[in-house]
Amino acid sequence: MGGGAVIRVLLGHRGALLRGALATVFATEDDLEVVAVIDHGDDVLPASVRGQPDVMVLDVHLPGAVGIDVLARRSAAGGVLVLSDRDLSAGASLRLVRQAPRVGLIATDASPGELVGAIRQIARGEPVLDPELMLAAIRVRDNPLTDRECEVLKLVTTGATAQEVARKLCLSAGTVRNYLSRILTKTHARTRIEAIRKAEQAGWI
């Protein structure tokens, strides 16, 4: 944000101590204004509507419904900086990296100065990607599933039956079962649960 503009920040973190410490750090910066502090993922979208932040700084383990899809939707209106520990799975890293530059990824062991600098970068629309996490992401194998197969598998993750998936996608139940059979073959899985686990870990869905 150039010209001395103030960057409005929403902070979401599961830990009360770190949440308070980060809010204090941000408040000492002349160009940062903390407009909301939350401790649960379900509050992300409501708080962002109220506070209209330029950048959301979110703990990757924030409890509640704050998945990659939510971040992608929110990042259309403003930047998101995800605080991640270094044991984040390669698949999760890949899904975050794909949202760059509006979704950034920084390690939780970054210094306060690095974190503040990253917020400014995100606000300017510049990418912020932790090198180690990015390296893990780019090592993920190419997705063998088609877009439709991914769509079917995502619906299965919600607990939907083949019949429910068919209704949702305007397909026949037999067609959905064929998709599921191909998904099991491509993921080398014996069950749908195993296919979901493998696909999520690999960042395919």
Side-chain angles (χ1 to χ4, degrees), residues 26-121:
F26 298 162
T28 62
E29 300 294 327
D30 293 338
D31 61 340
L32 302 186
E33 177 188 358
V34 179
V35 296
V37 179
I38 60 174
D39 61 3
H40 201 278
D42 292 344
D43 298 327
V44 168
L45 290 180
S48 69
V49 170
R50 290 192 304 270
Q52 294 297 304
D54 300 304
V55 177
M56 296 198 310
V57 179
L58 300 176
D59 173 13
V60 75
H61 296 299
L62 194 66
V66 58
I68 303 302
D69 293 340
V70 171
L71 298 182
R73 289 201 304 274
R74 172 63 188 105
S75 66
V80 177
L81 182 63
V82 177
L83 294 169
S84 170
D85 41 37
R86 296 193 183 278
D87 63 359
L88 186 66
S89 74
S93 298
L94 179 62
R95 294 195 297 275
L96 288 167
V97 167
R98 283 174 175 164
Q99 301 298 332
R102 300 307 287 162
V103 174
L105 187 59
I106 190 169
T108 51
D109 57 7
S111 69
E114 289 171 332
L115 180 55
V116 169
I119 291 173
R120 292 174 180 141
Q121 284 180 250

Side-chain angles (χ1 to χ4, degrees), residues 90-92 94-95 98 140-141 197-205:
L94 179 62
R95 294 195 297 275
R98 283 174 175 164
V140 177
R141 289 187 295 135
R197 177 181 58 78
K198 288 186 173 183
E200 287 180 337
Q201 289 178 345
W204 297 335
I205 61 172

Side-chain angles (χ1 to χ4, degrees), residues 118-141:
I119 291 173
R120 292 174 180 141
Q121 284 180 250
I122 290 290
R124 292 193 298 265
E126 299 172 3
V128 174
L129 297 172
D130 179 89
E132 289 184 24
L133 293 171
M134 192 170 89
L135 182 60
I138 63 178
R139 285 175 174 165
V140 177
R141 289 187 295 135

